[in-house]
Amino acid sequence: MKRSSLARSALDSDEARTAVSLVCAAMDVSLIVDHLGIIREVSCANQDLCGAIDGNCRWLGKRWADTVTDESRPKIEELLRDAAGSAPLRWRQVNHPSLQGPDVPIVYSAMKVGESGKIMALGRDLRPMATLQQRLVNAQQSMEREYAKLRHAETRYRLLFQIASEAVLVVDAATGRVIEANPAAAELLQTQMRRLIGHVLEDHFDADGQAALASLLAAARVAGRTDEQQVRLADGTREFRVSVSLFREDKSSFLLVRAAPLASGNPAAESVASQILELVESLPEAFVVTDEEGRTLSANRAFLDMADLSSEQQAVGVTLDRWMGRPGVDLSVLLAGLREHGVVRMFSTAIQGSHGTKTDVEICAVASPEGNGRCFGFSIRDVSSRLSGAPRREQELPRSVKQMTELVGRVPLKDLVRETTDMIERLCIEAALELSNDNRATAADLLGLSRQSLYVKLRRYGLGELEQADSAN
């Protein structure tokens, strides 16, 4: 609809029509509403806005309140009431349902025109402002996210700086004064933090150390970083290795100084420790170090040969149970003993190689002191040759077999089988008890029985007094 027709329909005088035309030209939306709140004329500033809210003049003949969203209807009623009562002019924002997407926000002001009771509603499109506001909100949220990331990163690095065991100092490249230092630096330089921050770093070293440090700082300013240099405290009590690197921040240059004490250990002792490690590696007996869960940390050459492994890397990270003769049982017994007593002696088992070879072994194990990084050491001795040449321990088994064969013909076969089964079962239970050092729960695990089933068999074979003694304990 043309603006001129809107002006002519609103008022009759030339001055009034001119005034209305000027006002409509300044607004994005202009409406003429009768005293019943029904829209009689519509004018939009551009076709895009008209298509978004009106859509081919569908508002004509409708109540103004019906063209807005539900929450905006009370605002329309207030605008109409204020305009009819000649109240002071007020602007109210309402939302029109859009035909093309999100609701269209428009701020309206209404006034009574002429003597016919008609009301002119003038509105401005707030979509450009809403777009700018949304961009501002998005930019602010993005800045807040980036600031939060920087703050968290600064917190993490500040924490690392404070808890680092290495002495680290930040020095102003222009003045040579310490800007920042971590607690390890104050401890290493044997001074308090307040006597370190803001003071020249070179003052804490002797004459030679001052000269060496000054040379390092000068070289770092030119080359960006330096190699380690040895310096000594002013009192001559300690020597350090110092390295310097340059970095820039806010157009200023700073030097990152890292210091570490020289090794004060006995060279002879260090040589002996190295020789011990070489001897362990060359031991003819297998030696394995595991963590608290039994995962292999290190193994010597003898164990690799016993387990048919070509390199230590094949064993690292694998539980020792992988090569034991009774998987799931032997290692559990060993670890339980180590956690409880700290040492296990003469534990008999077998090592199963990767290619199927089996070696009878005896294991002695020891636990390191409790704390972070606790580990277990296992000394594994091959006893297969000793067992093959030793007299049989189970002296009763051959005699029992001979006795069984002498009963052939006098006792039914099913009775002989039952007696033989009972004899073997009893021998297995006794062996399990001996192997577990009379620990009923471990013996049950070795035999694959529940503890209650083991107690039943103990009473059956006349071993119930062991059960009673165990219950009494």
Side-chain angles (χ1 to χ4, degrees):
M1 178 177 292
K2 297 181 180 179
R3 297 187 188 276
S4 58
S5 62
L6 177 61
R8 286 194 300 271
S9 63
L11 298 173
D12 296 330
S13 66
D14 292 339
E15 294 80 359
R17 287 197 296 270
T18 302
V20 169
S21 298
L22 290 174
V23 172
C24 292
M27 295 294 120
D28 294 318
V29 180
S30 302
L31 306 176
I32 298 297
V33 184
D34 62 16
H35 65 285
L36 297 177
I38 298 175
I39 298 174
R40 296 306 179 184
E41 300 291 343
V42 180
S43 177
C44 294
N46 57 69
Q47 191 65 30
D48 175 67
L49 179 62
C50 183
I53 59 176
D54 185 11
N56 298 324
C57 298
R58 294 191 309 165
W59 284 2
L60 294 177
K62 283 189 175 183
R63 294 179 67 251
W64 187 18
D66 294 337
T67 65
V68 299
T69 57
D70 293 340
E71 72 277 2
S72 299
R73 290 183 180 180
K75 299 180 182 179
I76 297 297
E77 295 173 359
E78 291 180 7
L79 286 171
L80 293 174
R81 184 168 56 251
D82 293 344
S86 300
L89 190 66
R90 291 197 306 170
W91 293 89
R92 303 299 298 271
Q93 178 182 337
V94 300
N95 294 319
H96 290 286
S98 175
L99 302 176
Q100 303 173 357
D103 296 341
V104 178
I106 295 180
V107 59
Y108 282 104
S109 180
M111 66 185 72
K112 186 177 179 181
V113 292
E115 301 297 333
S116 61
K118 292 182 179 180
I119 295 174
M120 176 176 287
L122 304 174
R124 282 193 174 278
D125 185 6
L126 295 181
R127 289 183 300 172
M129 184 179 297
T131 301
L132 290 176
Q133 289 177 342
Q134 185 62 45
R135 290 179 180 176
L136 178 61
V137 170
N138 293 339
Q140 184 176 1
Q141 291 178 346
S142 178
M143 291 177 60
E144 290 178 352
R145 286 193 298 267
E146 294 299 325
Y147 176 72
K149 290 180 180 179
L150 290 175
R151 187 172 65 250
H152 294 158
E154 181 182 2
T155 301
R156 289 193 297 269
Y157 289 116
R158 176 70 59 181
L159 178 61
L160 290 174
F161 181 75
Q162 293 296 325
I163 67 175
S165 58
E166 183 182 27
V168 181
L169 304 98
V170 179
V171 178
D172 190 335
T175 63
R177 296 184 180 273
V178 178
I179 303 299
E180 196 169 0
N182 64 350
E187 181 180 357
L188 190 65
L189 298 177
Q190 298 179 352
T191 185
Q192 297 179 358
M193 192 68 71
R194 60 184 178 84
R195 296 182 179 178
L196 187 60
I197 304 299
H199 293 76
V200 178
L201 179 60
E202 299 173 13
D203 294 344
H204 296 277
F205 301 94
D206 62 5
D208 293 338
Q210 291 179 6
L213 188 59
S215 175
L216 279 175
L217 297 181
R221 294 186 187 99
V222 175
R225 62 182 305 168
T226 65
D227 296 328
E228 291 185 346
Q229 183 75 28
Q230 183 174 334
V231 296
R232 182 184 291 110
L233 279 181
D235 58 7
T237 56
R238 306 184 71 181
E239 293 184 351
F240 307 94
R241 297 190 311 271
V242 177
S243 62
V244 183
S245 57
L246 177 72
F247 69 95
R248 300 185 183 277
E249 181 180 338
D250 294 335
K251 299 181 180 180
S252 299
S253 298
F254 299 92
L255 298 170
L256 185 67
V257 180
R258 300 165 58 191
L262 292 178
S264 58
N266 187 352
E270 294 179 359
S271 176
V272 171
S274 176
Q275 291 177 359
I276 291 175
L277 292 177
E278 293 179 0
L279 291 175
V280 170
E281 177 65 24
S282 304
L283 272 177
E285 292 184 1
F287 189 83
V288 181
V289 179
T290 72
D291 61 12
E292 288 189 280
E293 303 302 323
R295 289 184 291 267
T296 304
L297 301 177
S298 178
N300 67 352
R301 184 72 256 174
F303 177 79
L304 299 180
D305 294 339
M306 188 179 294
D308 295 331
L309 301 177
S310 58
S311 67
E312 187 179 7
Q313 295 301 320
Q314 293 178 294
V316 173
V318 183
T319 58
L320 190 58
D321 185 67
R322 159 68 177 80
W323 298 284
M324 284 193 170
R326 291 180 289 268
V329 177
D330 288 349
L331 185 60
S332 299
V333 175
L334 284 168
L335 295 181
L338 288 172
R339 294 189 183 105
E340 182 176 357
H341 305 293
V343 63
V344 174
R345 295 181 177 88
M346 306 299 289
F347 183 86
S348 298
T349 182
I351 295 297
Q352 186 78 30
S354 301
H355 301 318
T357 59
K358 186 175 182 181
T359 306
D360 294 321
V361 297
E362 283 182 352
I363 297 178
C364 293
V366 65
S368 66
E370 294 188 8
N372 294 334
R374 192 184 189 194
C375 59
F376 300 141
F378 297 84
S379 175
I380 305 173
R381 174 176 295 180
D382 183 358
V383 296
S384 56
S385 59
R386 186 178 68 187
L387 292 179
S388 61
R392 298 180 60 89
R393 297 173 56 188
E394 298 84 356
Q395 296 295 333
E396 298 180 359
L397 182 59
R399 291 203 303 266
S400 299
V401 172
K402 184 177 180 180
Q403 292 172 0
M404 291 296 108
T405 55
E406 290 176 353
L407 295 177
V408 174
R410 292 181 292 173
V411 179
L413 178 61
K414 62 179 182 178
D415 294 337
L416 285 175
V417 172
R418 184 177 62 252
E419 292 293 336
T420 305
T421 302
D422 292 344
M423 177 191 65
I424 295 174
E425 193 173 67
R426 175 170 180 166
L427 291 173
C428 291
I429 292 174
E430 291 176 348
L433 291 173
E434 181 182 356
L435 186 61
S436 63
N437 198 20
D438 287 335
N439 187 307
R440 300 294 183 271
T442 303
D445 290 339
L446 290 172
L447 295 169
L449 300 174
S450 65
R451 193 169 180 177
Q452 188 62 34
S453 298
L454 177 60
Y455 285 154
V456 172
K457 294 183 181 296
L458 290 175
R459 289 193 295 269
R460 176 181 177 185
Y461 298 121
L463 301 175
E465 65 277 4
L466 297 177
E467 175 198 353
Q468 294 173 1
D470 182 58
S471 299
N473 292 334

